[in-house]
Amino acid sequence: MSSKVFPCPAAKKCGGCQLTNLSYEEQLSFKQGRAVKLLGKFGKVERILTTGEPFFYRNKVQAAFGRTRSGEIISGVYQSSTHNIVKVDKCYIEDERADAIIVTIRKMLKEFKLTVYNENNGTGFLRHVLVKTARGTGEVMVALVTGSREFKSKKAFCDALLNRHPEITTIIQNINNKFTSLVLGEEQYVLYGEGYITDILMGKRFIISPRSFYQINPAATVLLYETALKYADIRSTDTVIDAYAGVGTIGIICSDNAKKVISVELNPDAVKDARKNAKINGIKNMTFVCADATEFLFEMAKEGEKADVVVMDPPRAGSTVKFMKGVCAMKPQRVVYVSCNPETLARDLDFFVKNGYKVKKIQPVDMFPNTSHVETVVLMSRVDGK
Ligand code: SAH
């Protein structure tokens, strides 16, 4: 894409894509510049990796349902930091099949005389639709998030939806009647299929459930994970720690080469999925710990345990000094830091370079084209004698 004219008519109102005034080449230079500015002091910043495909990459799509003042049922996204729904039928960064399913559901509401949820008084039925797609297998999950459990003509509705979209492999009803900005509620029922979808990424299978975290740009995830794996340079005698592990993806990809992988994650649902993921891939050399990564690393270091490689992928806020102290005490030869926020990454790298590590490689990856987000993988190695 070299045109500067971003095709989405809702771009301004929606606010989800911040770089629509730039051509894709300009976006890449902008992100490269940001990475160099924040991380250049640690070493050479490699040229940003891209799939070359800035559109329709999101494998997870969620639409809010509501009514306009004139009563028309609409679906789309919340205008940034508000609860006003911007009507979006086709988003240029979302999976096209997912958007088509959402439009079909909106049309079906009238046919089935179903209402949409009203956030102001808690009445009405359909609140959100979440669609997840597994690009590696083609499987599609639809989660209907409703304000109440009662679902009139549930079976007929699902049959009609499956008839129009035979690509759907599972349908779930999730109930959310709380006053909250979270999309999913606690209670859910499988209406069709298994209740989850399975993806294949880098030769491994991963289960994706409605709630579990899974990288949203599958083609760019391969670039990211391949870089992390190359940097980790794992040998058959290595003990690897995968911290902030989500559903275990990075650790699972590392496990073929390693002696042992310890996966640490705070969210119990993600840990459950990670265990299942290891099982369906026949992996025997991984252990899964549900804990705060900081506390776990601190304890391991206190007990004098060692690791050869630490891979860490913390959320936007970055890691903690206590975690990094734990890592440094365990003296891994290599630390691979996967970051979705170059600001907190720069802060954390500062700590590592003052505590026995040298930055060897810095690789930005364009995981989220058209948005201002920058993903980066950094390789650090121990400075000998420290
Ligand atoms: N590496 C994974 C997930 C990265 S997202 C992947 O590539 O898919 C960051 C993960 O860190 C989330 O799953 C989140 O639940 C987890 N997390 C956040 N704070 C944490 C903490 N203090 N300790 C352990 N995990 C944490």
Side-chain angles (χ1 to χ4, degrees), residues 213-215 221 224-225 242-250 264-267 270 291-294 313-315 338:
F213 178 89
Y214 191 66
Q215 299 282 353
T221 301
L224 184 78
Y225 287 178
D242 176 17
Y244 308 93
V247 295
T249 39
I250 299 180
V264 191
E265 161 65 43
L266 188 60
N267 175 342
D292 172 23
T294 293
D313 183 7
V338 179

Side-chain angles (χ1 to χ4, degrees), residues 114-115 124-126 146-154 173 175 187 189:
L114 291 167
T115 55
F125 184 64
L126 189 65
T146 63
S148 58
R149 184 172 173 181
E150 195 203 338
F151 188 167
K152 266 190 305 180
S153 10
K154 174 162 67 184
Q173 182 187 1
I175 295 144
E187 202 182 331
Y189 304 93

Side-chain angles (χ1 to χ4, degrees), residues 206 239-255 258 260-278 283 285-294 296-297 300 307 309-313 323:
F206 296 106
T239 295
V240 179
I241 293 176
D242 176 17
Y244 308 93
V247 295
T249 39
I250 299 180
I252 286 171
I253 283 158
C254 289
S255 67
K260 187 172 147 195
V261 178
I262 303 168
S263 170
V264 191
E265 161 65 43
L266 188 60
N267 175 342
D269 286 336
V271 177
K272 244 188 244 162
D273 286 347
R275 287 203 175 100
K276 276 191 216 149
N277 285 333
I283 293 167
N285 61 344
M286 285 186 78
T287 47
F288 294 90
V289 183
C290 184
D292 172 23
T294 293
F296 180 74
L297 259 284
M300 267 191 97
V309 179
V310 171
V311 181
M312 55 191 285
D313 183 7
F323 175 93

Side-chain angles (χ1 to χ4, degrees), residues 18 30-31 58 78 82 116 123 160 167 211 253 292 303 326 335 352 371 381:
Q18 301 83 18
F30 167 81
K31 292 184 186 188
R58 279 192 74 101
Y78 288 121
T82 74
V116 290
T123 60
E167 68 275 22
R211 213 181 291 275
I253 283 158
D292 172 23
E303 317 242 304
V335 177
F352 278 112
T371 78
S381 71

Side-chain angles (χ1 to χ4, degrees), residues 199-215:
D199 196 14
I200 298 179
L201 194 80
M202 294 174 72
K204 300 282 187 238
R205 300 180 80 81
F206 296 106
I207 288 171
I208 305 166
S209 52
R211 213 181 291 275
S212 58
F213 178 89
Y214 191 66
Q215 299 282 353

